[in-house]
């Protein structure tokens, strides 16, 4: 046998090391980083290690257009993504979408003049920035803004910045689209040049989508002129790659089946719990509080004692929903994915700035069930983008018409509240739309968002249990063939039915994966987090309060009254506590009737004034009762009472505000314009607070 010389030994050693390295790749080294591994932390901390320098990021990635968004429900983020896609495909812009909370803005004064920034900004609540836009808003509207190169406001430090702005608002709120207006005003004051008008979408009028479409075309025209852009034929270019993983099955421990991040995947819960990371909380109690069979209102007690979650009376609890099984089936089947629903897929951004909206590897089923707003409204623009993938020429023509004819789309789609799968079924029901790439669905359908509910308990009384009061949404209209069913409230109803012994709950024909991914919600659990609200009791309990809360709008006031009762029992001086409450009929939907009666008998400062709209010949609402008690209301307001309204923004809250102006005018002998100023001052001083929705 020949002897191995030194060179042979070296070659063999190299081959051995190479073989070991090859076969251990991905196991012991070069392990792909899971971007959701640290998503349990708060927004900025979860991106630790990443540069917060926006200009640097754009330079590194070769971008000349950034679309920054401030979003609470996902709509502004969706618009930002759509603008980025259109800017790239139609005009050749090198676009990136960015969450406002991911970057610092002291160096905006170094923003290159050959680039452009878009700001897509939703207004939240009473003129407030969305959670992810708070730091940016406070910085850019501050009195003494400090930028990298110094320079006062008078020196126009942002003179190089070209920007585009679109706002999402609701005209039923007093501070309509205040975010985009205030930010645009601040940027212009600092020397920035706005291109085109600052667009404003109105959710209150139901015209948000059409407002957006009407605004963007003249905006693109003006931007093209300012930046010498040339329009070209738009062709679909995917943002994400979707790869089916034959090497993995759905049972593999590294496959996400609906878990929001790696901690949940590994079966551990770690705070802080927030909009990036829910707490899987036990449901301690659930019950029906309507007494009629055709409508439902749920009371739930959520146990947060096993977490570090705290709340203050008046805060909101967020419930992370699950899509109903029938809608998941409809969505996957119409795309031809029904038989592949449990196939494992990996989704990756094709651009370094593209962020996959859910953790992967995962399955088609998990994406549709836990991550996509598949039951949400459909935009004309999205329908138009799907036309090239239609299974027949006739279907393509119909999709094109729907996408381009505003009135036709309104008549056939919007008025019926169809979701995207229903649209595809209506246009071509005879065979699946299997040509549609799944990537375009990821890009075009919003990420499913938590639903927020006013907490109906006092943190002083029960700090470790959070109460939810929720009317189950089912919208039936004689001129609509489609019945709209609330995604989250029906999910809660199914949980309640299951907890009360129903083996197979199916509220309104809907079924849900109640036990969650890998049965992690088994034993009646619900993913939640808490969001701080500005809707708060006065710090001095001796101040009187007036509350107006019909229907489930009474939820936060149950917590307010609980707290005032507890403070009185503790020996504190508590002021008058008046609640104007309204419902249809005291025998059907009088929420917490027994509780109110018990409180009234033991807490003399409390007074309940009811408005029953369906009991007599005339409909009586809370605003009517308010008017009837004008003298007392005015007297309390002059004693610096806080005035609270919770419930429907579009009708009730607006009418209550109008009635209050009339009360002040008549009781104080001043004209209505002066009374309006009084109410305006009450709002700005925090004496008049609203927790309303449309």
């Amino acid at each position: 046998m020949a002897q191995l010389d030194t060179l042979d030994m070296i070659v063999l050693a190299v081959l051995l090391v190479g073989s070991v390295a090859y076969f251990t790749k991905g196991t012991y080294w070069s392990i792909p980083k899971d971007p959701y591994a640290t998503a349990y932390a708060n927004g900025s901390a979860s991106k630790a290690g990443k540069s917060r320098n926006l200009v640097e990021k754009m330079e590194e990635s070769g971008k000349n257009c950034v679309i920054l968004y401030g979003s609470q429900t996902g709509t502004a983020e969706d618009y930002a993504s759509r603008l980025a896609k259109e800017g790239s495909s139609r005009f050749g812009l090198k676009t990136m979408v960015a969450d406002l909370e991911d970057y610092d803005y002291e160096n905006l004064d170094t923003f290159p003049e050959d680039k452009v920034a878009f700001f897509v900004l939703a207004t939240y609540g009473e003129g407030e920035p969305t959670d992810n836009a708070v730091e940016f808003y406070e910085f850019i509207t501050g009195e003494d803004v400090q930028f990298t190169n110094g320079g006062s406001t008078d020196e126009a430090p942002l003179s190089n910045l070209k920007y585009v702005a679109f706002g999402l608002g609701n005209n039923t709120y007093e501070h309509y689209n205040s975010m985009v207006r205030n930010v645009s005003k601040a940027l212009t004051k600092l020397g920035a040049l706005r291109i085109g008008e600052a667009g404003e979408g109105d959710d209150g009028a139901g015209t948000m989508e059409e407002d957006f479409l009407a605004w963007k075309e003249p905006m693109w025209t003006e931007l093209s002129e300012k930046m010498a852009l040339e329009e070209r034929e738009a062709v679909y270019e995917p943002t994400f790659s979707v790869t089916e993983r034959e090497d993995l099955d759905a049972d593999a421990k590294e496959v996400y089946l609906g878990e929001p991040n790696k901690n949940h995947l590994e079966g551990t819960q770690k705070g802080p719990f927030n909009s990036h990371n829910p707490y899987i909380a036990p449901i301690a109690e659930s019950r029906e509080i309507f007494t009629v069979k055709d409508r439902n209102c749920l009371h739930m007690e959520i146990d947060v004692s096993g977490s570090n979650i705290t709340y203050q009376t008046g805060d909101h609890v967020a419930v992370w929903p699950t899509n109903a099984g029938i809608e998941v089936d409809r969505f996957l089947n119409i795309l031809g994915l029904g038989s592949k629903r449990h196939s494992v897929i990996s989704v990756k951004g094709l651009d370094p700035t593209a962020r996959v909206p859910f953790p992967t590897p995962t399955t088609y089923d998990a994406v549709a069930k836990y991550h996509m707003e598949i039951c949400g409204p459909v935009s004309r623009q999205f329908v138009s983008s799907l036309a090239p993938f239609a299974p027949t020429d006739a279907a393509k023509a119909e999709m094109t018409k729907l996408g381009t004819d505003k009135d036709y789309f309104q008549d056939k789609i919007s008025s019926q509240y169809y979701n995207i799968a229903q649209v595809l079924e209506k246009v071509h029901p005879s065979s699946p739309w299997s040509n549609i790439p799944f990537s375009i669905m990821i890009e075009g359908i919003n990420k499913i968002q938590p639903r927020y509910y006013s907490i109906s308990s006092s943190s002083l009384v029960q700090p470790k249990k959070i109460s939810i009061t929720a009317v189950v949404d089912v919208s039936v209209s004689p001129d609509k063939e489609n019945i709209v069913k609330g995604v989250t409230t029906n999910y809660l109803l199914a949980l309640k039915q299951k907890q009360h012994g129903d083996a197979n709950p199916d509220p309104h024909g809907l079924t849900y994966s109640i036990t969650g991914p890998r049965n992690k919600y088994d034993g009646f659990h619900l993913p939640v987090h808490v969001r701080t609200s500005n809707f708060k009791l006065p710090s001095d309990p001796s101040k009187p309060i007036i509350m107006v809360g019909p229907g489930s709008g009474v939820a936060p006031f149950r917590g307010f009254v609980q707290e005032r009762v507890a403070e009185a029992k503790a020996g504190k001086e508590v002021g008058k506590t008046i609640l104007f409450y309204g419902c249809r009929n005291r025998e059907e939907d009088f929420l917490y009737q027994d509780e109110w009666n018990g409180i009234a008998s033991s807490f003399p400062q409390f007074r309940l004034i009811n408005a029953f709209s369906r009991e007599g010949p005339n409909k009586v609402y809370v605003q009517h009762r308010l008017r009837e008690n004008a003298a007392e209301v005015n007297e309390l307001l002059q004693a610096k009472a806080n005035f609270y309204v919770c419930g429907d923004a579009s009708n009730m809250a607006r009418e209550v505000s109008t009635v209050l102006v009339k009360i002040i005018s008549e009781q104080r002998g001043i004209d209505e314009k002066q009374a309006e100023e009084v109410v305006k001052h009450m709002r700005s001083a925090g004496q008049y607070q609203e927790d309303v929705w449309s």
Side-chain angles (χ1 to χ4, degrees):
M1 181 175 172
Q3 294 295 315
L4 293 175
D5 60 20
T6 303
L7 180 59
D8 291 333
M9 294 291 289
I10 293 172
V11 171
L12 285 172
V14 170
L15 289 172
L16 178 61
V17 170
S19 299
V20 171
Y22 178 81
F23 288 110
T24 59
K25 180 180 179 182
T27 303
Y28 298 107
W29 69 283
S30 189
I31 302 171
K33 186 179 179 183
D34 182 352
Y36 286 81
T38 56
Y40 58 83
N42 62 33
S44 56
S46 69
K47 301 156 188 93
K50 291 187 177 182
S51 172
R52 293 184 59 82
N53 186 320
L54 179 63
V55 175
E56 183 181 90
K57 181 69 173 179
M58 292 181 72
E59 294 288 358
E60 287 176 354
S61 54
K63 306 299 183 185
N64 61 1
C65 174
V66 61
I67 298 94
L68 295 145
Y69 64 85
S71 187
Q72 196 72 35
T73 64
T75 307
E77 182 178 359
D78 173 54
Y79 283 0
S81 297
R82 287 162 61 179
L83 288 167
K85 290 285 292 182
E86 192 169 358
S88 174
S89 62
R90 280 182 63 186
F91 300 98
L93 285 166
K94 304 299 182 184
T95 60
M96 63 177 277
V97 177
D99 187 328
L100 275 168
E101 72 177 355
D102 285 356
Y103 295 94
D104 299 319
Y105 298 94
E106 288 85 354
N107 67 340
L108 266 186
D109 59 338
T110 66
F111 199 89
E113 60 183 350
D114 62 342
K115 302 183 190 300
V116 63
F118 283 57
F119 294 90
V120 184
L121 305 169
T123 298
Y124 168 65
E126 293 303 304
E128 301 153 30
T130 56
D131 292 347
N132 73 319
V134 171
E135 290 185 14
F136 164 74
Y137 182 73
E138 290 176 348
F139 171 77
I140 208 69
T141 59
E143 290 185 9
D144 187 24
V145 187
Q146 297 293 321
F147 291 105
T148 302
N149 295 325
S152 65
T153 301
D154 295 337
E155 295 172 306
L158 300 187
S159 57
N160 279 351
L161 177 65
K162 297 183 183 71
Y163 77 97
V164 171
F166 183 81
L168 296 82
N170 186 316
N171 72 7
T172 61
Y173 292 80
E174 181 186 7
H175 302 285
Y176 172 62
N177 261 312
S178 63
M179 268 296 287
V180 74
R181 294 177 182 182
N182 293 343
V183 168
S184 185
K185 181 180 177 180
L187 290 172
T188 301
K189 183 180 178 181
L190 292 165
L193 173 67
R194 190 182 69 224
I195 297 174
E197 295 296 319
E200 295 186 353
D202 187 1
D203 191 44
T207 58
M208 180 74 77
E209 177 67 18
E210 292 302 330
D211 293 338
F212 173 71
L213 296 178
W215 162 80
K216 72 181 182 65
E217 286 309 317
M219 178 277 296
W220 285 127
T221 300
E222 190 160 341
L223 183 64
S224 297
E225 293 173 358
K226 287 285 192 300
M227 296 189 68
L229 304 176
E230 291 186 10
E231 185 170 0
R232 60 191 186 185
E233 184 179 355
V235 177
Y236 173 65
E237 298 171 353
T239 303
F240 304 107
S241 68
V242 180
T243 306
E244 294 186 359
R245 297 285 300 275
E246 294 183 2
D247 60 318
L248 289 174
D249 60 41
D251 295 327
K253 63 180 182 180
E254 65 265 44
V255 175
Y256 290 86
L257 298 182
E259 297 91 349
N261 56 50
K262 193 171 184 179
N263 276 343
H264 284 270
L265 180 68
E266 294 175 347
T268 60
Q269 295 205 70
K270 181 179 179 182
F273 299 105
N274 50 34
S275 59
H276 303 274
N277 180 46
Y279 173 61
I280 312 303
I283 301 172
E285 176 192 339
S286 62
R287 57 188 167 92
E288 174 65 57
I289 48 179
F290 277 174
T291 55
V292 290
K293 292 184 178 180
D294 61 337
R295 292 187 296 140
N296 300 94
C297 184
L298 305 174
H299 176 89
M300 283 188 163
E301 296 285 341
I302 309 301
D303 185 352
V304 295
S305 59
S307 72
N308 59 0
I309 289 177
T310 60
Y311 76 99
Q312 296 298 316
T313 306
D315 283 347
H316 299 143
V317 61
V319 175
W320 291 48
T322 297
N323 283 313
I326 190 173
E327 294 301 338
V328 174
D329 293 345
R330 187 199 308 273
F331 178 77
L332 295 175
N333 289 338
I334 198 64
L335 295 178
L337 296 172
S339 62
K340 301 167 70 175
R341 65 189 307 149
H342 298 301
S343 295
V344 177
I345 56 173
S346 285
V347 182
K348 294 182 179 179
L350 294 174
D351 182 280
T353 65
R355 186 165 58 186
V356 180
F358 46 79
T360 76
T362 184
T363 65
Y364 292 114
D365 181 79
V367 173
K369 188 177 294 177
Y370 295 105
H371 298 298
M372 281 181 158
E373 199 76 78
I374 60 173
C375 295
V378 184
S379 73
R380 270 201 300 130
Q381 191 174 7
F382 187 45
V383 168
S384 181
S385 72
L386 298 180
F389 308 105
T392 66
D393 289 342
K396 180 179 181 179
E398 178 67 3
M399 293 290 277
T400 301
K401 184 176 182 181
L402 286 168
T404 55
D405 189 326
K406 172 183 173 181
D407 295 332
Y408 188 67
F409 183 82
Q410 170 64 27
D411 180 54
K412 297 292 185 182
I413 306 300
S414 294
S415 65
Q416 297 296 325
Y417 304 108
Y418 288 138
N419 60 46
I420 188 59
Q422 290 172 321
V423 172
L424 299 180
E425 283 182 340
K426 289 293 176 184
V427 172
H428 185 79
S430 59
S431 62
W433 293 60
S434 51
N435 291 332
I436 294 178
F438 197 65
S439 57
I440 202 172
M441 288 298 183
I442 299 172
E443 297 157 18
I445 298 176
N446 290 357
K447 181 180 180 180
I448 199 165
Q449 298 293 319
R451 270 51 168 186
Y452 293 93
Y453 298 91
S454 301
I455 294 175
S456 56
S457 56
S458 162
S459 57
L460 180 65
V461 175
Q462 49 179 74
K464 293 301 181 181
K465 280 187 182 177
I466 292 173
S467 298
I468 296 176
T469 306
V471 173
V472 178
D473 296 322
V474 179
S475 178
V476 182
S477 180
D479 60 335
K480 309 280 191 301
E481 63 178 71
N482 184 38
I483 299 175
V484 180
K485 303 165 186 175
V487 171
T488 309
T489 53
N490 280 282
Y491 171 46
L492 294 177
L493 180 54
L495 279 164
K496 176 258 175 187
Q497 291 174 347
K498 183 77 171 179
Q499 193 168 33
H500 285 258
D502 189 336
N504 300 294
D506 60 342
H508 306 107
L510 304 176
T511 58
Y512 294 87
S513 295
I514 288 175
T515 59
R518 291 185 170 90
N519 294 320
K520 289 173 180 174
Y521 304 172
D522 201 11
F524 311 112
H525 286 72
L526 188 66
V528 300
H529 73 269
V530 167
R531 182 177 69 188
T532 302
S533 165
N534 293 323
F535 196 70
K536 291 288 184 283
L537 281 164
S539 56
D540 178 4
S542 68
K543 285 186 71 172
I545 63 171
I546 301 167
M547 302 164 286
V548 183
S552 61
V554 79
F557 302 137
R558 179 176 181 265
F560 280 19
V561 174
Q562 281 183 353
E563 188 139 323
R564 304 272 279 194
V565 170
E567 288 174 324
K569 285 181 178 177
K572 293 183 179 180
E573 181 186 350
V574 177
K576 266 196 170 181
T577 303
I578 297 180
L579 171 61
F580 289 88
Y581 172 70
C583 63
R584 294 183 185 181
N585 188 300
R586 76 187 76 208
E587 303 299 331
E588 297 180 0
D589 53 1
F590 192 161
L591 302 183
Y592 305 113
Q593 181 176 5
D594 291 342
E595 285 187 30
W596 303 131
N597 291 338
I599 290 168
S601 64
S602 62
F603 180 50
Q605 294 94 326
F606 176 67
R607 182 183 173 205
L608 178 67
I609 300 171
N610 290 311
F612 301 112
S613 63
R614 305 286 174 91
E615 285 195 0
N618 299 315
K619 292 186 175 182
V620 180
Y621 297 112
V622 286
Q623 55 266 34
H624 300 134
R625 295 299 189 216
L626 202 63
R627 191 73 182 267
E628 291 170 7
N629 291 271
E632 183 177 14
V633 168
N634 180 60
E635 181 184 334
L636 290 173
L637 291 178
Q638 289 186 310
K640 302 301 180 184
N642 273 16
F643 188 85
Y644 300 93
V645 182
C646 182
D648 168 50
S650 57
N651 296 305
M652 182 276 297
R654 182 174 281 184
E655 290 181 23
V656 165
S657 181
T658 300
V659 166
L660 193 63
V661 167
K662 291 183 183 300
I663 288 173
I664 291 171
S665 171
E666 293 167 2
Q667 294 293 315
R668 302 183 190 181
I670 60 178
D671 63 39
E672 287 197 5
K673 282 199 172 182
Q674 289 176 296
E676 285 174 0
E677 287 301 311
V678 172
V679 171
K680 188 175 181 180
H681 176 74
M682 287 172 60
R683 290 179 184 273
S684 62
Q687 188 184 356
Y688 188 138
Q689 297 181 33
E690 290 181 313
D691 184 2
V692 294
W693 57 86
S694 59

